[in-house]
Amino acid sequence: MRDTISSSQNNNAPQLLYLDCLSGISGDMFLGALLELLPLEFDLTGTLSAIAIKGYYVEVAREKRGGMAGTKVRVRSDEHEHRHLSDILEILKGSALSDQVRGFAEKAFSLLAEAEARVHGTTVEEIHFHEVGAVDSIIDVVGACLLLEQLGWPRVIASAVNIGSGTVECAHGVMPVPAPATAELLKGIPVRVLGEPMERTTPTGAVLLRVFAQEYGNIPDGMISGIGVGLGE
């Protein structure tokens, strides 16, 4: 996934973040792309330490995918805990986050819970988060909010989203791509299918689009001031 920070020719206009989702979008791809838009000396680990969760470490590496260089962010943890929405909201409440970051993160996980509840025919309170309740997904989502704050909360526009095709194996077994919860989150968002069969848009990527993208279409007129490429797996 590629992010482009573009400024209008009006210098007083706010910055714009354009998400080119030709390769799809996931939480770690978004995090890596945003990180490339910040100064090299930016302290990602220190910034993430504001989140009240332990037992993980972050690896940041420059790699290549299909001949294109970008940043891959990996969150390493041995945790296998499943959480309810209330557990994640409690983590956010105990974190040293600004009101804006906490608000966006709470909205993201609430939307994830609503999508999972619709898919599984249960309630938001009863839903168990599996993959999206793990520490890496929490770091990806809250980390993306923290980095957008560092960028000054730019207006976000996105391209149509490559969702992939085929099947994916998850906690509930083999699922079609996009996974059912991802499909719920993508309602009303323009999608496309390109490339070899694989999951190209994850629930965390879809929910970040749902929370932050204000418009979908081609990149608008302006001047490009920075480019960030986030790599997935």
Side-chain angles (χ1 to χ4, degrees):
M1 189 195 77
R2 184 173 64 184
D3 285 353
T4 302
I5 286 283
S6 174
S7 297
S8 165
Q9 292 183 7
N10 176 1
N11 292 330
N12 295 320
Q15 283 191 317
L16 173 72
L17 178 67
Y18 183 73
L19 307 180
D20 184 349
C21 301
L22 180 68
S23 299
I25 183 171
S26 60
D28 56 346
M29 292 166 76
F30 195 23
L31 201 59
L34 292 177
L35 192 58
E36 288 205 340
L37 296 173
L38 291 163
L40 287 174
E41 64 273 15
F42 178 76
D43 182 8
L44 177 62
T45 299
T47 300
L48 295 175
S49 67
I51 307 171
I53 196 166
K54 305 295 182 184
Y56 76 92
Y57 65 96
V58 178
E59 295 176 350
V60 178
R62 288 282 293 173
E63 299 179 7
K64 288 184 179 180
R65 298 284 189 280
M68 179 176 286
T71 293
K72 174 63 185 169
V73 178
R74 294 180 175 88
V75 179
R76 303 293 194 187
S77 172
D78 293 327
E79 177 196 89
H80 299 287
E81 185 175 350
H82 296 165
R83 294 181 172 88
H84 289 87
L85 175 62
S86 59
D87 298 322
I88 295 178
L89 295 181
E90 194 62 29
I91 289 171
L92 296 175
K93 182 179 178 181
S95 299
L97 307 171
S98 69
D99 289 343
Q100 280 181 297
V101 167
R102 184 178 294 106
F104 282 125
E106 288 176 349
K107 180 178 180 180
F109 282 105
S110 295
L111 288 171
L112 281 166
E114 291 168 8
E116 292 279 3
R118 283 194 293 272
V119 166
H120 298 294
T122 185
T123 66
V124 167
E125 292 75 23
E126 293 175 334
I127 198 72
H128 269 94
F129 284 128
H130 294 280
E131 288 89 350
V132 295
V135 62
D136 57 338
S137 292
I138 295 172
I139 296 300
D140 285 347
V141 171
V142 185
C145 297
L146 285 165
L147 297 196
L148 283 169
E149 181 178 54
Q150 289 290 323
L151 291 168
W153 299 114
R155 173 177 167 80
V156 178
I157 296 177
S159 70
V161 186
N162 187 359
I163 57 176
S165 61
T167 60
V168 62
E169 187 171 352
C170 61
H172 296 287
V174 177
M175 295 283 186
V177 171
T182 303
E184 282 285 336
L185 291 163
L186 291 171
K187 284 180 176 177
I189 292 175
V191 300
R192 65 176 79 177
V193 176
L194 295 171
E196 294 296 317
M198 64 179 292
E199 183 183 38
R200 296 180 183 273
T201 295
T202 66
T204 51
V207 82
L208 288 169
L209 282 176
R210 175 66 65 192
V211 171
F212 291 111
Q214 300 171 44
E215 186 180 335
Y216 292 87
N218 295 324
I219 189 168
D221 294 345
M223 294 180 292
I224 296 173
S225 59
I227 296 173
V229 179
L231 303 180
E233 291 180 323

